[in-house]
Amino acid sequence: MLTAEEARRLFRVDQGVLINRVTRGSSVAGSVAGCLNSWGYLQVCTKGKTYKAHRLVWLIEKGVWPDELDHINGLRTDNRIENLREVTRKENLHLIVTGK
């Protein structure tokens, strides 16, 4: 699992968008990192592991991995730090089911 230091070396965050700091394979430094997965979340692959972009944004901004995150406005691609909040697993499942 990436550390905050390593994540900050690989990416920077601009209004919730992950930007590659270094060229990694076909991901060019300065380009937007990641792609959309089948669940509608942005994801990034690095060092043989796939990470959800919102979790990387949290790690870079807060310095720790979150247990569970919720997109406050419900938009899975809006990874601005002010749109992310830590929740419990139970809260997150309830939010998914009820949409509230």
Side-chain angles (χ1 to χ4, degrees), residues 43-77:
Q43 65 183 25
V44 175
C45 297
T46 189
K47 299 195 175 218
K49 186 158 169 58
T50 302
Y51 299 94
K52 289 182 180 163
H54 61 285
R55 295 179 60 77
L56 284 172
V57 168
W58 189 272
L59 175 66
I60 290 166
E61 297 287 339
K62 303 288 187 172
V64 295
W65 282 105
D67 288 327
E68 291 279 332
L69 286 179
D70 172 52
H71 289 84
I72 296 167
N73 67 7
L75 299 176
R76 293 175 176 176
T77 56

Side-chain angles (χ1 to χ4, degrees), residues 11-21 30-34 42 44 53-54 56-57 60-61 77-81 84:
F11 309 102
R12 68 180 172 85
V13 179
D14 183 8
Q15 294 296 309
V17 176
L18 286 173
I19 307 294
N20 291 302
R21 285 190 184 271
S31 65
V32 174
L42 292 167
V44 175
H54 61 285
L56 284 172
V57 168
I60 290 166
E61 297 287 339
T77 56
D78 184 353
N79 295 322
R80 294 172 297 126
I81 196 69
L84 302 175

Side-chain angles (χ1 to χ4, degrees), residues 74-92:
L75 299 176
R76 293 175 176 176
T77 56
D78 184 353
N79 295 322
R80 294 172 297 126
I81 196 69
E82 61 268 17
N83 188 48
L84 302 175
R85 64 179 167 198
E86 278 194 291
V87 294
T88 65
R89 181 74 177 146
K90 183 177 178 181
E91 288 170 328
N92 209 15

